[in-house]
Amino acid sequence: MRLGLALGYWGRGPDPGHVALAQEAERLGYDSVWTAEAWGSDAFTPLTWIAARTSRIGLGTAVAQMAARSPVTTAMHALTLDHLSGGRMMLGLGLSGPQVVEGWYGRPFPRSPLTATREYVEVIRQVLRRQGPVEVAGRFHSHPYTGEEGTGLGKPLKPITHPLRADLPVLLGAEGPKNIAQTTRIADGWLPLYWSPLRTDVYEASLADVPEGFIVAPMARAKVCDDVAEGLLPVKAMLGFYIGGMGHAVRNFHADLMARMGYEDEARHIQELFLAGRREEAVLAVPDAFADEISLVGPRARIAERLELWRKGPVTDLLVLAPDPHTLRVLAELNA
């Protein structure tokens, strides 16, 4: 099981420690470093910044939001950074949810998410293969554009720049069972948002036909500390925000996932509290047991014991949200 460093997205401003953390991860032998985006900082610019200050470590987006860019624009970002970094780029994509897609990006959330995702990935594959002009007559993506508002003058094009790698890895941040199953067919890897090594049966059917070499790379917050309850507070804060605030009361993919993992009543209660403006109570309502099983928190010996559970399942890459160099070093030593 390889280790990766997940940096997430910025809060109010850039984190001054991110580059140093990425450099330390590279020195410790971590395989990859990953950036993200929500509705603030983008995923590609910080990753390019890190690329210029490292030399070996893989560079991934976990995730770049599909609604933020047309698929050819995303492919341009990926092939450009792949060249500049010497072939270190990995493209992680996510569909996001209706609140973000319609509220932030100002476009409709696709009524058929699986079709939209499949078409998006197909366009990117065509750009990277560069076997001919990009031509897709899809429901959501049309190249050239043939809609009523067009001029009819669109010309099929292929990228001027020759991509460094036609097989640049494409990973998807899928959550629903059908979406995960499709991911195993059209992508090179999967980026689970929550992963519990105690509940791998939740994904068993979706992962039934995983091809050889398929990447399974969940994120997990890690913190070496003496007080487990205190170490879990950032995990609970993240869960409270995602389950309570990253979606609508009647359509929240994160809450639905928590429900499928055996915490349905708790997920709905967190939603109710958060949407009622009682955010601190929503965070405290996150069960310690759930926060604990999807993270690696506590003294070194405890983390070592729990890390073995992660190794036993289908996880190929563990992307750790680690806030300090000490935790990075301990995990590197334990995983050696």
Side-chain angles (χ1 to χ4, degrees), residues 223-277:
K223 176 67 176 177
V224 178
C225 58
D226 293 328
D227 190 330
V228 174
E230 182 178 345
L232 287 175
L233 286 177
V235 184
K236 296 178 66 168
M238 176 272 294
L239 288 168
F241 175 62
Y242 272 72
I243 293 163
M246 290 281 271
H248 191 271
V250 298
R251 193 168 189 184
N252 183 314
F253 300 136
H254 311 304
D256 292 344
L257 175 56
M258 183 177 175
R260 287 196 298 274
M261 296 179 75
Y263 293 90
E264 182 171 5
D265 292 341
E266 293 87 342
R268 304 311 170 198
H269 182 51
I270 294 166
Q271 275 189 295
E272 291 171 1
L273 290 171
F274 196 96
L275 295 173

Side-chain angles (χ1 to χ4, degrees), residues 56 106-108 135 148 162 169 182 243 248 305 311 317:
R56 176 201 59 80
R107 55 192 306 174
E135 294 188 83
E148 293 181 359
H162 291 231
Q182 175 176 264
I243 293 163
H248 191 271
E305 180 180 337
R311 286 200 189 99
D317 296 72

Side-chain angles (χ1 to χ4, degrees), residues 72-153:
V72 292
T73 308
T74 299
M76 289 166 66
H77 279 300
L79 73 85
T80 302
L81 185 47
D82 202 41
H83 269 292
L84 292 175
S85 66
R88 293 190 276 154
M89 179 66 194
M90 295 170 284
L91 181 59
L93 302 169
L95 198 58
S96 193
Q99 270 201 333
V100 176
V101 173
E102 298 182 4
W104 179 247
Y105 293 113
R107 55 192 306 174
F109 186 79
R111 293 184 180 276
S112 179
L114 271 70
T115 302
T117 300
R118 186 168 59 251
E119 291 177 6
Y120 200 101
V121 172
E122 173 56 25
V123 173
I124 289 173
R125 297 287 200 199
Q126 287 194 28
V127 173
L128 295 176
R129 288 194 295 262
R130 201 179 180 271
Q131 294 175 342
V134 176
E135 294 188 83
V136 172
R139 176 179 173 185
F140 298 97
H141 299 285
S142 178
H143 297 264
Y145 181 76
T146 58
E148 293 181 359
E149 297 179 357
T151 63
L153 301 177

